[in-house]
Amino acid sequence: MTFADHFETFHALPVFTLPEMREPGEEKLPDADAVAWRLDCYEAGELPFDELWRSFTDRVPSTDVRALVIGPWWDDEYSDLRPALELMVADAERFPALRALFLADVTGEECEISWLQLTDVTPVLEAFPQLEEFGVRGGDSQGLGEEPLSLRPVRHEALRVLRFESGGLPGQVVRAVGACELPALEHLELWLGVSQYGGDTTVADLAPLLAGGRFPALRHLGLQDSELQDEIAAAVASAPVVAQLESLSLSMGALTDTGAEALLEGQPLTHLKRLDLHHHFLSEAVADRVHAAFDSAGTEVDLSEHQTPHRWRDEEWRYVAVSE
């Protein structure tokens, strides 16, 4: 998978990229609450982020902004997200209506996902207690930044959607998510990635998420893009949390017949409305068994994007959808 395009919608709003400053009287911008505002240093005339942020808060009524999407925050060389995040957090009181924030709507041509230099994102959840949707793209930045992506356990009453998109999600982040108190959380999506790019999550790290009870409102769980997809499938097959879910995604990873058979032989999953297994390495026979088991129950199953293992010196290599 590649990130070829920027978001077109976010939080059910069309995305609008803030343009360069125009002469007074020439500028016509959407109503502040009608779009998800996207900030991109390149699209704004290669402004440094601090200048772009000031331009945004000067030109758009911040009290009405409902959603923010942060694109490239660097105007020259790749740089750490931390200074940009500190600006946003410092101005949090100016955004009482903000309900959704996505960090790093960046395409592969702009920066590979593993090169994105992130930081501790906990201050976002602490500064915006009314936030309902929070998404982050990137991982440990391969040691390029001052600090990797990280998270500290928090309690947040309003958060409904939490997504981490990464080619190598640090296990520390997964453990922190599992230790958070998020009573309103309905949708959790974790792209775990591979060890080569910092994805050191183990199945044991997922135990608090799989035990159930931590997030009572959870209805969708995505544990995706993992080289350990078979082991994760086996753990999910007996996980208490599954009973409360309406949809489950084990997609984008190195899922083989072993993982699929664990799902078929484990606890009943036919109460699910949707089971997403796209990007997989299943044999045709096992894929047919999966379809037969779920189609008759009315569960939508996605088994698209069948992959063929790469071969190297008589060994097979199964790859995830997103790594570098």
Side-chain angles (χ1 to χ4, degrees), residues 27-83:
E27 185 168 58
K28 293 183 179 180
L29 296 176
D31 291 339
D33 61 354
V35 299
W37 293 90
R38 183 175 183 276
L39 304 186
D40 182 326
C41 287
Y42 292 122
E43 293 292 333
E46 298 188 359
L47 283 179
F49 188 85
D50 59 345
E51 295 183 27
L52 174 57
W53 184 253
R54 286 196 298 270
S55 174
F56 172 58
T57 55
D58 287 345
R59 296 156 65 191
V60 177
S62 60
T63 55
D64 296 330
V65 171
R66 296 169 54 198
L68 268 176
V69 176
I70 306 301
W73 57 86
W74 58 91
D75 59 294
D76 187 10
E77 296 182 357
Y78 300 147
S79 62
D80 198 301
L81 175 66
R82 182 174 50 80

Side-chain angles (χ1 to χ4, degrees), residues 203-223:
V203 174
D205 292 332
L206 300 173
L209 304 177
L210 298 177
R214 171 62 66 176
F215 307 133
L218 192 67
R219 296 297 177 265
H220 172 84
L221 178 61
L223 302 174

Side-chain angles (χ1 to χ4, degrees), residues 123-231:
V124 169
L125 298 175
E126 295 172 330
F128 296 99
Q130 300 305 315
L131 203 67
E132 297 176 356
E133 181 170 357
F134 183 40
V136 180
R137 178 177 295 165
D140 76 344
S141 69
Q142 291 296 284
L144 298 174
E146 294 183 8
E147 57 181 318
L149 169 66
S150 62
L151 178 72
R152 288 176 279 108
V154 296
R155 181 175 178 87
H156 195 289
E157 300 287 347
L159 195 68
R160 295 172 50 237
V161 178
L162 179 61
R163 294 172 57 196
F164 284 96
E165 300 179 356
S166 179
L169 189 63
Q172 183 277 329
V173 174
V174 175
R175 292 190 293 274
V177 170
C180 285
E181 295 181 51
L182 307 172
L185 190 69
E186 300 173 359
H187 181 112
L188 176 61
E189 188 172 326
L190 303 176
W191 298 11
L192 302 172
V194 299
S195 57
Q196 181 181 356
Y197 291 103
D200 58 359
T201 300
T202 66
V203 174
D205 292 332
L206 300 173
L209 304 177
L210 298 177
R214 171 62 66 176
F215 307 133
L218 192 67
R219 296 297 177 265
H220 172 84
L221 178 61
L223 302 174
Q224 304 164 231
D225 196 52
S226 177
E227 58 190 347
L228 304 178
Q229 208 71 62
D230 281 346
E231 296 176 41

Side-chain angles (χ1 to χ4, degrees), residues 296-312:
S296 60
T299 300
E300 178 187 352
V301 178
D302 186 349
L303 278 170
S304 61
E305 300 182 35
H306 173 265
Q307 307 296 316
T308 301
H310 290 166
R311 296 194 66 85
W312 174 253

